[in-house]
């Protein structure tokens, strides 16, 4: 497919060059992609294929300051994009359904999980987590999440690289059918010549960051060796892996044996408690029955004091979040801030609250203030540390997932 009118292209790259510090990754790239076209980016490792895909996705742009990125040339993308990463980048703390629902949850746009799960044949696996899926299944979910964005352009960075040859062939056929059905524009990075020729309308060969050749391969089909000859004979002997027919989960009822353990240990503790209470004054060690009776005898008193305690606890948690989240986030993002604040935070945590509490009563009186300060000091430390660790644990690979969905800073921060 040749585009005569450059202005009609949904993706237009003119004289695009990109450097990482002093390393030239893309050199004077010129490419126009029409709406509904399937483009395969082919070439040796390090040729700039994935980088070019990230430029189209907006993950690398002229405003980037990470790794001293410099981008020049004209990058025009006139339609929405969705990215399927090579390593899938499914969020491990979310189920399959929640991973696919993420675009709609964060942006309010996109398809419901049930619709795209049906498209990729994974409806029975919606409640599983990514670590419970095989590589082929994870590939399906990554594609489903991209489809759920309901974007016009699908960017795929070697999504089938980790699959075995037979399953990969079946995925090629499924992707070709999906392209025909949806009419989406697809830019597909691959190292497989056969895959590129079979899937793409045009194959773009990149070498050393420049476009070496653009070959028209529309309706080329499988190469002869696939349909006849030794390869066809081997396929006949081995059989074809049909990844579209995934066996559903068999839901078997299993008695929760852990419940018996909890009940047995609780009963044992009650027996021991009652035995010890019979030999000690009830003033110091009341029996379980005495405690049970006291719950009803002093019901009004317990409710009043319980609500008062709950009020202080909730207020202190709110204060801890308001103060601790920004501090923990800053410490996680900047090592210098962590080094500056860590001694003071450790000092506060090391001093027992029982020593600080009387001083607070002397300074602030017997009202709400000393209670609130005391409980905030107790709860703020885990908030700060958890936030700092969380910010550092979620690396750039997951941030790029949110960025590719089109989520801003606050949406990313909240998740």
């Amino acid at each position: 497919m040749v585009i005569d009118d450059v202005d009609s292209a949904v993706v237009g790259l003119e004289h695009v060059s990109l450097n990482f510090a002093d390393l030239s990754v893309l050199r004077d790239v010129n490419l126009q992609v029409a709406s509904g076209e399937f483009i395969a980016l082919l070439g040796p490792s390090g040729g700039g294929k994935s980088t070019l895909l990230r430029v189209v996705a907006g993950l690398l742009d002229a405003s980037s300051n990470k790794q001293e990125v410099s981008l020049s040339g004209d990058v025009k993308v006139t339609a929405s994009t969705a990215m399927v990463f090579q390593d899938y980048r499914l969020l491990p703390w979310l189920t399959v359904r929640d991973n696919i629902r993420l675009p709609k949850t964060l942006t309010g746009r996109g398809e419901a999980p049930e619709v795209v799960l049906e498209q990729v044949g994974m409806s029975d696996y919606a409640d599983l987590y990514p670590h419970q899926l095989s590589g082929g299944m994870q590939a399906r979910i990554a594609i489903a999440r991209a489809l759920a964005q309901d974007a016009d352009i699908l960017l795929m960075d070697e999504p089938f690289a980790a699959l075995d040859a037979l399953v990969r062939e079946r995925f090629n056929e499924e992707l070709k059918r999906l392209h025909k059905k949806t009419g989406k524009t697809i830019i597909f990075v691959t190292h497989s010549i056969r895959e590129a020729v079979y899937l793409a309308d045009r194959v773009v060969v990149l070498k050393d960051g420049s476009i070496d050749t653009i070959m028209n391969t529309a309706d080329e089909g499988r190469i002869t060796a696939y349909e006849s000859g030794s390869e066809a004979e081997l396929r006949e002997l081995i059989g074809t892996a049909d990844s579209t027919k995934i066996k559903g989960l068999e839901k078997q009822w299993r008695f929760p044996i852990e419940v018996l353990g909890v009940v047995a240990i609780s009963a044992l503790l009650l027996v021991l408690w009652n035995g010890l209470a019979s030999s000690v004054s009830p003033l110091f060690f009341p029996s379980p029955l005495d405690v049970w009776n006291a719950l009803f005898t002093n019901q009004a008193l317990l409710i009043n004091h319980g609500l008062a305690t709950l009020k202080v606890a909730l207020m202190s948690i709110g204060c801890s979040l308001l103060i601790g989240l920004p501090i923990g986030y800053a410490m996680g993002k900047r090592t210098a801030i962590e080094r500056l604040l860590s001694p003071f935070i450790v000092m506060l945590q090391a001093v027992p609250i029982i020593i600080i509490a009387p001083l607070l009563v002397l300074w602030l009186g017997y009202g709400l203030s000393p209670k609130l300060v005391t409980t905030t000091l107790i709860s703020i430390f885990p908030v700060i540390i958890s936030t700092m660790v969380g910010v550092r644990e979620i690396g750039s690979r997951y941030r790029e997932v949110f960025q590719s969905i089109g989520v801003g800073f606050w949406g990313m921060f909240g998740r």
Side-chain angles (χ1 to χ4, degrees):
M1 183 183 294
V2 179
I3 300 175
D4 297 322
D5 183 5
V6 173
D7 293 332
S8 67
V10 293
V11 176
L13 306 174
E14 295 184 25
H15 306 294
V16 172
S17 297
L18 185 141
N19 297 326
F20 286 129
D22 297 328
L23 178 64
S24 179
V25 182
L26 296 177
R27 299 182 182 89
D28 196 31
V29 173
N30 294 276
L31 178 66
Q32 286 78 41
V33 182
S35 177
E37 190 176 12
F38 196 127
I39 294 290
L41 300 180
L42 186 67
S45 296
K49 302 183 299 298
S50 295
T51 301
L52 185 61
L53 207 67
R54 290 160 63 83
V55 169
V56 176
L59 298 178
L60 293 171
D61 55 41
S63 63
S64 298
N65 55 12
K66 296 178 181 178
Q67 299 178 327
E68 301 179 18
V69 174
S70 60
L71 178 68
S72 61
D74 185 19
V75 179
K76 182 186 73 171
V77 182
T78 60
S80 56
T81 62
M83 185 87 168
V84 180
F85 295 92
Q86 183 177 353
D87 52 358
Y88 309 139
R89 303 194 186 183
L90 302 176
L91 304 185
W93 59 89
L94 296 181
T95 63
V96 164
R97 179 183 285 106
D98 291 335
N99 263 287
I100 296 174
R101 186 186 285 129
L102 195 63
K104 190 169 185 178
T105 301
L106 294 173
T107 66
R109 303 183 305 274
E111 297 283 353
E114 293 72 21
V115 175
V116 291
L117 279 171
E118 181 68 27
Q119 283 183 314
V120 299
M122 290 288 289
S123 297
D124 291 340
Y125 295 82
D127 296 319
L128 296 185
Y129 288 88
H131 73 273
Q132 297 173 297
L133 305 176
S134 67
M137 291 178 178
Q138 290 185 28
R140 286 172 174 275
I141 301 308
I143 294 172
R145 184 174 62 190
L147 291 174
Q149 292 178 236
D150 199 23
D152 301 303
I153 304 173
L154 194 57
L155 307 173
M156 309 182 77
D157 189 3
E158 295 192 74
F160 310 143
L163 305 180
D164 65 74
L166 296 178
V167 174
R168 184 168 182 163
E169 288 176 4
R170 178 59 65 181
F171 267 69
N172 287 170
E173 295 176 11
E174 291 175 4
L175 182 58
K176 198 170 183 70
R177 285 197 297 268
L178 183 67
H179 176 238
K180 186 176 181 180
K181 180 180 179 181
T182 62
K184 291 182 182 294
T185 305
I186 298 179
I187 304 179
F188 184 89
V189 172
T190 180
H191 280 99
S192 170
I193 295 174
R194 173 189 297 163
E195 191 170 60
V197 170
Y198 175 60
L199 292 173
D201 298 315
R202 289 188 295 160
V203 175
V204 178
V205 180
L206 274 84
K207 290 183 179 179
D208 299 323
S210 300
I211 293 180
D212 181 84
T213 305
I214 299 180
M215 182 182 296
N216 190 347
T217 55
D219 302 320
E220 191 76 15
R222 293 288 189 187
I223 62 177
T224 306
Y226 180 83
E227 298 175 347
S228 61
S230 301
E231 185 177 336
E233 187 177 346
L234 286 171
R235 290 182 66 255
E236 184 69 26
L237 291 171
I238 297 172
T240 302
D242 190 352
S243 64
T244 63
K245 297 179 180 177
I246 301 176
K247 186 179 179 182
L249 295 175
E250 295 181 4
K251 296 182 179 180
Q252 298 180 345
W253 186 85
R254 182 177 68 88
F255 183 81
I257 193 68
E258 298 85 357
V259 174
L260 288 179
V262 171
V263 171
I265 292 174
S266 301
L268 178 61
L269 289 175
L270 283 173
V271 171
L272 292 174
W273 179 3
N274 192 65
L276 289 172
S278 61
S279 58
V280 182
S281 170
L283 180 64
F284 300 103
F285 200 79
S287 67
L289 184 59
D290 292 334
V291 172
W292 180 259
N293 291 332
L295 285 174
F296 293 95
T297 304
N298 304 306
Q299 191 175 34
L301 181 65
L302 289 172
I303 290 174
N304 289 335
H305 284 280
L307 291 175
T309 302
L310 180 62
K311 174 184 174 181
V312 175
L314 293 176
M315 291 177 67
S316 66
I317 290 173
C319 291
S320 298
L321 292 174
L322 287 174
I323 300 170
L325 281 175
I327 294 175
Y329 184 83
M331 291 172 66
K333 295 290 285 185
R334 296 286 184 269
T335 306
I337 296 177
E338 181 197 358
R339 288 199 297 265
L340 174 66
L341 298 180
S342 288
F344 300 100
I345 294 173
V346 172
M347 179 185 68
L348 283 175
Q349 182 65 16
V351 177
I353 295 298
I354 197 172
I355 295 176
I356 300 176
L359 296 175
L360 293 174
V361 171
L362 290 174
W363 296 337
L364 303 176
Y366 288 96
L368 178 64
S369 299
K371 300 175 188 176
L372 188 58
V373 173
T374 301
T375 50
T376 300
L377 288 174
I378 293 172
S379 56
I380 196 171
F381 182 78
V383 171
I384 292 175
I385 300 303
S386 297
T387 303
M388 181 184 73
V389 172
V391 168
R392 289 183 178 173
E393 287 294 320
I394 305 303
S396 60
R397 57 196 298 268
Y398 289 122
R399 292 193 185 98
E400 285 186 344
V401 171
F402 289 99
Q403 191 177 345
S404 69
I405 292 173
V407 181
F409 170 79
W410 289 112
M412 198 181 306
F413 177 81
R415 287 284 162 170

